[in-house]
């Protein structure tokens, strides 16, 4: 079984996990109602991205497709079918409709088992992303230069 097959999460199971997590987190709290450590607002981000784990700055193994939960300018929540450890470094690759990629180095900050074969993984980006530019680029609504990070990629 390839790494991509191992990480493939059915659409049905993906939607079930999203619903379970949203139900468990409850309604949004009023400002000042809780001690939220996050400094950036997370937005729902229900896309598939590519993730390649790294060791000593070099990719190890093939990039795998993973489904996302949410996104902020500083990080990303995804579902993995394998356990990863906080502190591991990876390359996150966003792929747009033109099959161009935007890559950002990231660090795993948490990994939590959701069921027998799915982990919720939190990643922190090495640098803040400009979501106002990234999201339209992903949707194919603009051809803006991504600061030299966009490149052709066969997916």
């Amino acid at each position: 079984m390839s790494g991509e097959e191992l990480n493939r999460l059915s659409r049905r199971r993906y939607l079930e996990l999203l619903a379970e997590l949203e139900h468990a987190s409850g309604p949004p709290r009023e400002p000042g109602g809780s001690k939220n450590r996050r400094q950036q607002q997370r937005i729902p981000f229900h896309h598939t991205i590519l993730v390649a784990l790294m060791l000593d700055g070099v990719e190890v193994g093939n990039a795998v497709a993973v489904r996302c939960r949410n996104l902020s300018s500083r990080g990303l929540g995804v579902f993995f079918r394998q356990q990863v450890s906080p502190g591991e470094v990876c390359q996150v690759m966003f792929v747009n409709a033109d099959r161009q990629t935007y890559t950002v180095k990231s660090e795993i900050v948490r990994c939590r088992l959701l069921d027998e074969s799915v982990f919720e993984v939190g990643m922190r980006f090495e640098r803040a992303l400009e979501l106002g530019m990234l999201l339209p680029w992903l949707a194919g609504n603009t051809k803006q230069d991504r600061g030299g990070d966009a490149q052709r990629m066969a997916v």
Side-chain angles (χ1 to χ4, degrees):
M1 183 179 295
S2 74
E4 187 163 335
E5 289 169 346
L6 179 67
N7 272 292
R8 188 156 293 151
L9 183 63
S10 74
R11 179 166 175 72
R12 188 179 117 254
R13 183 63 185 131
Y14 172 66
L15 294 174
E16 288 171 356
L17 286 169
L18 288 173
E20 289 170 15
L21 291 169
E22 290 306 313
H23 177 73
S25 64
R29 298 177 193 236
E30 294 296 318
S34 71
K35 293 192 178 226
N36 187 347
R37 297 175 309 182
R38 292 179 179 85
Q39 296 175 354
Q40 290 79 28
Q41 179 182 0
R42 292 176 292 169
I43 59 172
F45 187 69
H46 304 159
H47 295 273
T48 299
I49 62 164
L50 297 172
V51 175
L53 295 177
M54 302 177 73
L55 182 62
D56 296 328
V58 177
E59 288 184 22
V60 292
N62 295 324
V64 293
V66 298
R67 293 189 185 257
C68 300
R69 178 180 181 204
N70 53 43
L71 174 71
S72 76
S73 63
R74 294 297 304 174
L76 179 70
V78 301
F79 298 111
F80 259 62
R81 298 287 303 247
Q82 67 190 55
Q83 186 173 6
V84 291
S85 299
E88 287 188 71
V89 177
C90 59
Q91 291 280 32
V92 171
M93 294 164 265
F94 298 94
V95 183
N96 74 2
D98 294 327
R99 295 192 183 276
Q100 293 179 316
T101 60
Y102 180 78
T103 302
V104 62
K105 191 174 179 182
S106 305
E107 178 182 350
I108 306 295
V109 293
R110 69 174 161 51
C111 180
R112 158 175 90 124
L113 182 64
L114 295 178
D115 68 19
E116 67 277 353
S117 64
V118 179
F119 295 86
E120 181 186 24
V121 175
M123 301 177 185
R124 181 182 313 125
F125 300 136
E126 178 180 66
R127 64 182 187 276
L129 301 184
E130 179 57 54
L131 297 182
M133 294 171 58
L134 178 67
L135 295 175
W137 177 82
L138 281 169
N141 295 337
T142 181
K143 299 278 188 182
Q144 292 177 342
D145 179 26
R146 305 298 327 145
D149 288 336
Q151 60 190 26
R152 284 282 180 205
M153 177 176 164
V155 177

